Amino acid sequence: DLLYIKAPVLDVANDAAPSNYLQALLVELGTLLRNQKEFSSAIEVFKVAAEVTKRAFGADSVVLLDVLNSLAYVYYSWDVKAHIEECLAVLKDITEVSQTIYGPDTPEVGIPLNNAGSLYMRAGKLGDSVRHLEQAYKVFKRSGSPKDDPNFASCRRNLGIVRNKIRMSAIVGIQSWVRRRINRNRNRKAAQQRELEALQGEEWQKRDDVLNDEAHEWNVLDAGHHPLNNKEEDHHLRTNAMSLRATDE
């Protein structure tokens, strides 16, 4: 079982002097663990392999690049969303070592930049993604990579995707802003309408109160007039009757 082999191999790696054999043994063990989907153990082995490689071959060696690429691939194969920060850190180391070995404008530098841009895009960090992808595109362009180069083609495709995502995000943001403005204006108009209705209601209530007061005054006058009016009407009726008889006579 590889898991039983791992512990003594790591003990030897930590205590023994670095050597080509030990470095190769660690890389082989890490690869076998990765193939068996023992990702956590594979990462542990490749990290030790990277340290042994630095001591055996130096910090700027092609052999170290191979180990770092294997480590990044384990993170990617395991659960890139859960380990995206660790994977991005390894890709940064790969980019720096590649720049030292091959120079800044070489495909070997463009590849990890493109991979980092792709990971940032998956994480939803579109600004970081487009920055790395544009940098990778410039590196491939200056290196003279042909357009049909698979890595250059992947970079262009990723760059197109992330730019489209940024445009769509901007459109969604504008639409959301417009909807908020419309809702704000609608709410303001509704509030103004409610305020107007309240004012109209108060005005109509005042008018009703005035009309009620006037009606009350008329009722009071009528009520005070009726007793007197009865006596006066009897007197006038008798007077008119006498006048009519006198006229007839």
Side-chain angles (χ1 to χ4, degrees):
D1 193 334
L2 292 176
L3 294 179
Y4 289 106
I5 299 174
K6 182 191 73 172
V9 169
L10 292 182
D11 289 339
V12 171
N14 290 326
D15 296 334
S19 64
N20 294 357
Y21 173 77
L22 181 59
Q23 190 272 343
L25 177 63
L26 288 168
V27 171
E28 183 66 21
L29 178 59
T31 302
L32 291 172
L33 288 169
R34 183 197 67 202
N35 292 339
Q36 291 188 359
K37 300 187 184 303
E38 297 289 346
F39 297 116
S40 179
S41 297
I43 287 171
E44 185 180 1
V45 170
F46 276 121
K47 284 183 177 180
V48 175
E51 294 301 320
V52 171
T53 303
K54 288 178 184 178
R55 296 199 305 268
F57 298 95
D60 300 323
S61 65
V62 177
V63 181
L64 179 60
L65 277 180
D66 291 337
V67 176
L68 293 176
N69 276 304
S70 297
L71 178 58
Y73 185 67
V74 174
Y75 279 124
Y76 189 85
S77 302
W78 187 11
D79 188 350
V80 68
K81 290 184 178 180
H83 303 283
I84 191 167
E85 295 300 329
E86 294 93 333
C87 192
L88 286 169
V90 177
L91 288 174
K92 182 180 179 181
D93 292 339
I94 294 172
T95 302
E96 292 174 352
V97 174
S98 297
Q99 286 176 335
T100 302
I101 297 174
Y102 299 107
D105 296 329
T106 55
E108 289 79 8
V109 174
I111 292 171
L113 287 172
N114 177 46
N115 291 336
S118 177
L119 286 181
Y120 276 120
M121 181 167 53
R122 293 187 63 174
K125 299 180 179 181
L126 301 183
D128 290 326
S129 176
V130 74
R131 180 168 57 84
H132 280 77
L133 291 172
E134 286 179 347
Q135 187 176 355
Y137 178 86
K138 293 177 182 178
V139 168
F140 282 119
K141 195 79 173 175
R142 288 194 294 261
S143 69
S145 298
K147 289 187 176 181
D148 58 353
D149 177 80
N151 293 307
F152 193 14
S154 172
C155 176
R156 295 198 309 275
R157 182 171 59 254
N158 289 334
L159 189 56
I161 293 172
V162 73
R163 283 175 174 171
N164 187 56
K165 285 180 177 289
I166 290 173
R167 283 194 294 269
M168 293 302 297
S169 178
I171 291 172
V172 171
I174 292 172
Q175 290 175 340
S176 177
W177 178 82
V178 170
R179 282 195 296 268
R180 289 197 301 270
R181 288 294 300 270
I182 291 173
N183 291 333
R184 192 180 301 124
N185 292 336
R186 186 177 297 155
N187 293 335
R188 184 168 61 247
K189 289 180 180 179
Q192 291 174 348
Q193 182 64 28
R194 288 193 298 270
E195 184 178 355
L196 178 61
E197 291 174 355
L199 292 174
Q200 290 175 342
E202 293 176 0
E203 184 65 26
W204 280 108
Q205 185 62 44
K206 290 179 180 178
R207 293 182 182 180
D208 290 343
D209 292 341
V210 170
L211 292 174
N212 289 334
D213 291 343
E214 291 177 353
H216 179 69
E217 290 177 1
W218 281 105
N219 290 334
V220 170
L221 290 175
D222 290 345
H225 178 70
H226 286 162
L228 177 62
N229 197 33
N230 291 336
K231 293 179 181 181
E232 289 179 351
E233 284 179 355
D234 290 342
H235 175 72
H236 285 306
L237 287 172
R238 285 194 298 270
T239 303
N240 290 336
M242 292 174 65
S243 298
L244 288 172
R245 279 199 300 270
T247 303
D248 292 337
E249 293 175 353

